Amino acid sequence: MQETENIAGTRVATLIEELDRIYGEIGRTQSAWREATPFGCPDGCGSCCVDFEPDVLECEALYLAAWMLFHQRERAEAILSGSFVSPRPDPENGCFLFDHDSPFHCTVYGGRCLICRLFGYSGDRGKDGLPRWKPCKHLPGDAHGQYSSDELVARFGVAPPAMGDCAAQVSGLMPDASGDRKPLREALPLALANLVMLERLSRS
């Protein structure tokens, strides 16, 4: 990964690269789902993000921090120094990286956290352990309340990834800290400080 070149060989770099692999698998499963179904988020929607701030694991914050340091270094350093100004007028009410005025809304899309990757294109498992999917109310198209596993297979031949399965994979990267979550606004500065320190050590 380009984003981990400055800290190559460290435990944190390996952790970020493993999370990138999991994110890639999720993306491929979601691509198969999107190709097989008529459902897709409306252009410029962002409704799931308006008043939402994710609680994230350390590995998710580190991934986003590495992405920002590589792609948005100036913004990352502003967050680290405390001088960052959120693009939204009410940053205390949701994700402070959300930009309501942008047609894409998420300003860190390539480094976004797990739940942000799952909104709209993931399901869960019922009491029988089988996958099911309930469409977001904002999705256009012929969607009803909830699709059972049998319906998913019969209509589309494929199921979206299950949120719980994806979360378990990510939690498994740091099993001793699997219950330690922080709001993104708290976790990201800590992760940025960690990576900047590792960068300095790697150069010395």
Side-chain angles (χ1 to χ4, degrees), residues 89-158:
D90 58 343
E92 68 283 354
N93 292 326
C95 179
F96 72 113
L97 299 172
F98 176 86
D99 185 354
H100 190 276
D101 294 329
S102 164
F104 304 106
H105 302 308
C106 180
T107 60
V108 292
Y109 190 78
R112 66 198 186 282
C113 305
L114 176 65
I115 189 64
C116 308
R117 294 170 186 268
L118 296 177
F119 275 142
Y121 296 106
S122 64
D124 65 355
R125 292 186 180 275
K127 292 180 180 178
D128 56 6
L130 296 174
R132 60 186 184 179
W133 180 69
K134 184 175 182 179
C136 166
K137 64 182 180 180
H138 299 288
L139 282 181
D142 179 25
H144 63 69
Q146 183 164 273
Y147 291 82
S148 68
S149 178
D150 288 343
E151 286 180 288
L152 290 171
V153 172
R155 291 196 61 175
F156 312 118
V158 66

Side-chain angles (χ1 to χ4, degrees), residues 23-196:
Y23 282 168
E25 290 174 1
I26 293 170
R28 285 187 287 274
T29 304
Q30 289 176 323
S31 292
W33 166 253
R34 288 196 297 265
E35 290 172 6
T37 72
F39 308 120
C41 294
D43 289 343
C45 179
S47 296
C48 55
C49 308
V50 173
D51 297 314
F52 177 79
E53 178 180 14
D55 287 337
V56 301
L57 296 169
E58 183 183 0
C59 59
E60 296 175 77
L62 287 167
Y63 187 97
L64 175 54
W67 186 90
M68 289 193 74
L69 285 168
F70 187 82
H71 296 278
Q72 300 179 0
R73 184 98 194 179
E74 187 174 337
R75 293 181 87 221
E77 291 176 348
I79 290 171
L80 191 53
S81 70
S83 62
F84 177 75
V85 178
S86 172
R88 61 184 298 161
D90 58 343
E92 68 283 354
N93 292 326
C95 179
F96 72 113
L97 299 172
F98 176 86
D99 185 354
H100 190 276
D101 294 329
S102 164
F104 304 106
H105 302 308
C106 180
T107 60
V108 292
Y109 190 78
R112 66 198 186 282
C113 305
L114 176 65
I115 189 64
C116 308
R117 294 170 186 268
L118 296 177
F119 275 142
Y121 296 106
S122 64
D124 65 355
R125 292 186 180 275
K127 292 180 180 178
D128 56 6
L130 296 174
R132 60 186 184 179
W133 180 69
K134 184 175 182 179
C136 166
K137 64 182 180 180
H138 299 288
L139 282 181
D142 179 25
H144 63 69
Q146 183 164 273
Y147 291 82
S148 68
S149 178
D150 288 343
E151 286 180 288
L152 290 171
V153 172
R155 291 196 61 175
F156 312 118
V158 66
M163 279 193 177
D165 297 351
C166 299
Q169 280 187 287
V170 174
S171 295
L173 295 177
M174 300 180 73
D176 294 338
S178 60
D180 185 13
R181 294 181 174 274
K182 291 183 175 67
L184 182 61
R185 71 184 65 238
E186 296 176 17
L188 184 56
L190 295 173
L192 286 166
N194 189 346
L195 292 186
V196 168

Side-chain angles (χ1 to χ4, degrees), residues 1-13:
M1 280 181 70
Q2 291 178 309
E3 290 85 352
T4 56
E5 286 177 356
N6 287 345
I7 56 168
T10 65
R11 181 190 67 84
V12 170

